[in-house]
Amino acid sequence: MMPRRSFLTVLGAGVAAGGFGLSLPASHASASVASRDTAATPDPCRDTAADPPWKRLSSANGDLPVPQTSDQQTGSMVGDIDGDGRIDFVITNRNHGNAAIWMQHTAQGWKQHVIDPGPLNIEAGGVLFDVDGDGHLDMVAGGDSSTNEVWWWENPHPHYDRPWKRHTIKQSGKTQHHDVMIGDVLGEGRPQLVFWNQGAKALFLARIPDNPRALADPWAMQIIYQGDAAMEGMAMADVDEDGVVEVIGGGRWYKHEGKMKFTAHVIDEAQKFSRCAAGKLIKSSRGVQVVFCNGDGCGPLKWYEQRGGGSWVGHDLLGEDLIHGHSLRVGDVDGDGNLDIFCAEMAKWADWTQTVDYPRSHIWVFYGDGQGHFEKVTIFKGGYGTHEARLADFFGTGRLDILSKPYESGAPGVDIWVNPGRRQHG
């Protein structure tokens, strides 16, 4: 088997030459290759295997229903959709088949429902949120590079034998909307919708209308940041502890300056096109820490802390490049009161290949101690590619499990990695 570093060199050459069919900015591809030509500066954390091992529940083994989706599963979301106290999940798709399905977690197991029969090309990075204020989670997601639309779907509670009604949020301008989130970034006391529009190289904000179900027209929206390249990745957190959550993504955080004006502050220019997560990894710190990694290429997995004068210092968690780390979350995985970092690599991303692109893909949890130190624990390596995974307590244990799905290889399919807790040694 090809060593990891050698594989990265070969893959980097392919990306730089455009041989893998990846629609990445030229600067992004060259930066990824350059980072692999020099040794990474590691910020070492102890590496161990999960003990006890996590149990994999899989649709491939009959533990979960096989998703009635497509061969390109773009996104996933988690939440209590039916309001019964159990966590359910959504999988979105493109190209053909159902555009979105959800799995209802019942006392008897899992029951599959169709949200949208399609055809519709839904992009990754959607969110569950009660858009219409009726007490039930709705779904919000954007279209991929084939469409200029963003939509929300109305939860039909309790009539889950029918598809959800789709409403249009955006229906003009440029295409592709990878990553949408909802939060009160204006400090108005009610949340707004924020989303990237990669075709426009812009970050959009839209207030949620008072009666969105009755609105026939797209929502009013405004660009709050215009970049010089397509950007990706999004988190929300109170970066400066001013009592208002900020948008984080594209290697930056965005400070609200009043009305609809935002100022972009660079965290790491090299992380423009990345996955993003944030949280208080150091409990005693002012503000939060931010994690970036390359979701559609190769590059470092780093967490960043603020220093004086608005500067940020990055810490390398792996000491070598991550390969298509398209799953990145922050959460208290083991329930010890300290935030941890979850990251996983894809196994296949190139449409034209007939085999798995990276058979050694990893699933990791970096357990934090609340002081900026992490223990790297390998949940699994080799065989299971992970894309847009989520953390959620599916079984009421107080520990976060992993909802995992492939993008292509193994699709349609879905896994839940059950968190067994951690054995204490010594």
Side-chain angles (χ1 to χ4, degrees):
M1 182 175 291
M2 184 181 295
R4 182 181 180 89
R5 186 67 62 178
S6 300
F7 173 83
L8 290 168
T9 302
V10 173
L11 177 63
V15 172
F20 290 96
L22 303 172
S23 80
L24 299 175
S27 60
H28 175 76
S30 60
S32 296
V33 175
S35 72
R36 292 188 298 276
D37 289 338
T38 58
T41 303
D43 185 10
C45 55
R46 191 159 57 96
D47 187 3
T48 59
D51 182 21
W54 292 43
K55 181 180 180 180
R56 176 185 175 236
L57 303 179
S58 179
S59 59
N61 301 329
D63 304 311
L64 301 162
V66 176
Q68 298 169 4
T69 54
S70 72
D71 56 1
Q72 286 195 358
Q73 299 179 144
T74 53
S76 67
M77 296 161 238
V78 292
D80 184 4
I81 292 174
D82 57 0
D84 68 348
R86 299 182 182 89
I87 299 297
D88 314 298
F89 66 86
V90 172
I91 297 178
T92 60
N93 315 277
R94 64 181 170 200
N95 287 348
H96 59 82
N98 293 316
I101 61 96
W102 72 282
M103 296 282 189
Q104 183 181 22
H105 192 185
T106 72
Q108 292 74 40
W110 298 90
K111 184 177 181 181
Q112 184 165 191
H113 304 272
V114 173
I115 293 177
D116 192 320
L120 195 71
N121 290 337
I122 300 178
E123 184 55 279
V127 64
L128 294 176
F129 182 82
D130 184 7
V131 175
D132 54 10
D134 66 353
H136 306 293
L137 291 176
D138 308 300
M139 186 178 90
V140 184
D144 69 1
S145 59
S146 68
T147 176
N148 61 6
E149 297 188 17
V150 177
W151 315 275
W152 75 276
W153 287 260
E154 182 182 337
N155 187 327
H157 179 84
H159 305 292
Y160 292 126
D161 56 342
R162 65 184 68 167
W164 300 20
K165 183 177 180 180
R166 187 199 318 157
H167 302 263
T168 299
I169 294 174
K170 174 181 177 286
Q171 199 175 31
S172 61
K174 302 295 184 178
T175 65
Q176 194 171 22
H177 316 84
H178 195 308
D179 302 318
V180 307
M181 289 194 79
I182 294 177
D184 185 13
V185 300
L186 295 178
E188 295 180 336
R190 56 183 298 181
Q192 302 85 41
L193 169 68
V194 182
F195 61 89
W196 283 114
N197 184 182
Q198 279 76 27
K201 304 174 184 176
L203 188 65
F204 279 78
L205 183 148
R207 289 185 174 93
I208 298 175
D210 290 333
N211 189 358
R213 281 186 289 187
L215 188 66
D217 298 323
W219 297 4
M221 61 192 63
Q222 184 171 325
I223 292 175
I224 60 172
Y225 174 75
Q226 185 88 50
D228 59 359
M231 295 185 182
E232 190 178 282
M234 190 178 297
M236 288 184 180
D238 188 356
V239 176
D240 55 1
E241 291 194 340
D242 65 348
V244 178
V245 296
E246 280 86 31
V247 181
I248 309 165
R252 294 155 168 75
W253 70 280
Y254 306 86
K255 172 69 176 175
H256 181 223
E257 305 289 0
K259 297 185 178 180
M260 294 291 277
K261 181 181 179 182
F262 287 77
T263 300
H265 298 270
V266 175
I267 299 173
D268 187 342
E269 188 68 29
Q271 300 284 8
K272 279 184 178 180
F273 203 84
S274 62
R275 309 313 301 144
C276 176
K280 214 168 184 64
L281 301 174
I282 302 175
K283 288 183 173 181
S284 62
S285 67
R286 181 179 183 275
V288 298
Q289 289 70 52
V290 177
V291 191
F292 288 122
C293 74
N294 198 319
D296 294 288
C298 304
L301 167 61
K302 287 186 174 184
W303 70 274
Y304 298 79
E305 60 176 317
Q306 300 182 67
R307 296 287 175 86
S311 64
W312 292 75
V313 175
H315 305 275
D316 194 331
L317 281 166
L318 280 176
E320 60 181 345
D321 284 349
L322 188 72
I323 302 173
H324 284 247
H326 211 288
S327 295
L328 179 65
R329 311 289 173 193
V330 165
D332 184 3
V333 176
D334 56 357
D336 69 348
N338 301 312
L339 289 180
D340 312 305
I341 299 168
F342 159 73
C343 186
E345 298 173 307
M346 294 174 64
K348 180 173 175 57
W349 54 85
D351 297 345
W352 59 273
T353 61
Q354 298 300 313
T355 58
V356 171
D357 300 309
Y358 183 49
R360 295 179 60 202
S361 54
H362 294 72
I363 301 173
W364 293 290
V365 174
F366 299 82
Y367 289 102
D369 64 358
Q371 301 178 54
H373 307 116
F374 297 90
E375 178 186 354
K376 180 174 68 173
V377 172
T378 301
I379 307 303
F380 200 88
K381 61 180 177 181
Y384 303 116
T386 304
H387 177 265
E388 281 290 295
R390 299 279 180 171
L391 296 175
D393 180 5
F394 284 104
F395 305 105
T397 63
R399 300 183 294 267
L400 296 178
D401 309 301
I402 298 169
L403 174 72
S404 172
K405 65 162 190 67
Y407 169 58
E408 285 192 308
S409 180
V414 64
D415 298 331
I416 292 177
W417 293 86
V418 182
N419 185 343
R422 303 186 69 196
R423 183 170 288 130
Q424 299 299 317
H425 298 278

